[in-house]
Amino acid sequence: MKKKQWYQMKVNELQDKLKVNPSVGLSNEEAEKRQYSYGSNILNTEKRTSILMMFLNQFKDSMVIILMIASVISGILGEIGDTVIIMIVVLLNALLGVIQENKAEKSLEALKNLSSPIAKVIREGRRIEIKSQDIVPGDIILLEAGDLISADGVIIESASLMIEEAALT
């Protein structure tokens, strides 16, 4: 039998798997253990690629390589006009690729900055506020109107839930 993924499980199955009671939450000791095991609740960031490297990476695509070879062949055959046009198209393609990649990196950075710095959770039966980076698997997160969702999770209970997803798209 195929093992269920967490998003395929019912709430009570997840509670059993994560060893958590929704009314009590995790103990501080268990939360520390999980923090050590799973790490912080932050998006991993890779070192930003320089604009020059982004530009050079645009020339790794097989279609771009074929166009550059066609440009060289056109030049050898004396078709200077075709050579120039193909090279202009290749350079414009690379420039547009860099612009799009740069925008995507900035969007990801903006999304990271959007995340909520504080989260309300239940720990040891009490409602407390913690840094969102300290949320661990099994934490019961409490959300109220206007709150930003600071981690992946499963909805246990809701009343008139509405979510604005525009930031993700």
Side-chain angles (χ1 to χ4, degrees), residues 55-156:
F55 184 75
L56 294 175
N57 286 337
Q58 300 301 314
F59 297 99
K60 291 181 178 178
D61 184 60
S62 58
M63 188 57 75
V64 172
I65 292 170
I66 291 169
L67 284 171
M68 289 190 307
I69 291 169
S71 175
V72 169
I73 291 171
S74 290
I76 292 170
L77 295 175
E79 300 292 332
I80 304 302
D82 290 345
T83 301
V84 170
I85 289 172
I86 293 171
M87 289 311 290
I88 288 172
V89 168
V90 167
L91 290 172
L92 281 174
N93 180 62
L95 183 64
L96 291 174
V98 168
I99 290 169
Q100 286 180 320
E101 195 173 330
N102 199 28
K103 280 184 181 180
E105 280 189 7
K106 286 181 181 177
S107 294
L108 181 60
E109 189 66 34
L111 185 60
K112 284 175 27 184
N113 292 336
L114 250 182
S115 64
S116 177
I118 299 293
K120 294 175 280 256
V121 298
I122 297 177
R123 293 246 178 109
E124 297 185 345
R126 297 187 337 261
R127 174 187 166 144
I128 62 169
E129 290 186 356
I130 62 172
K131 294 178 182 177
S132 63
Q133 69 190 36
D134 294 334
I135 293 174
V136 296
D139 263 331
I140 305 298
I141 303 170
L142 304 170
L143 298 172
E144 297 173 353
D147 283 353
L148 295 174
I149 299 172
S150 47
D152 287 348
V154 174
I155 299 169
I156 296 175

Side-chain angles (χ1 to χ4, degrees), residues 2-26:
K2 187 176 177 184
K3 184 178 170 186
K4 282 186 180 180
Q5 297 294 321
W6 67 269
Y7 57 84
Q8 296 170 316
M9 294 181 187
K10 298 196 180 314
V11 172
N12 60 346
E13 290 176 296
L14 277 170
Q15 291 169 353
D16 290 343
K17 182 176 179 158
L18 294 171
K19 297 177 180 79
V20 64
N21 177 333
S23 59
V24 178
L26 297 172

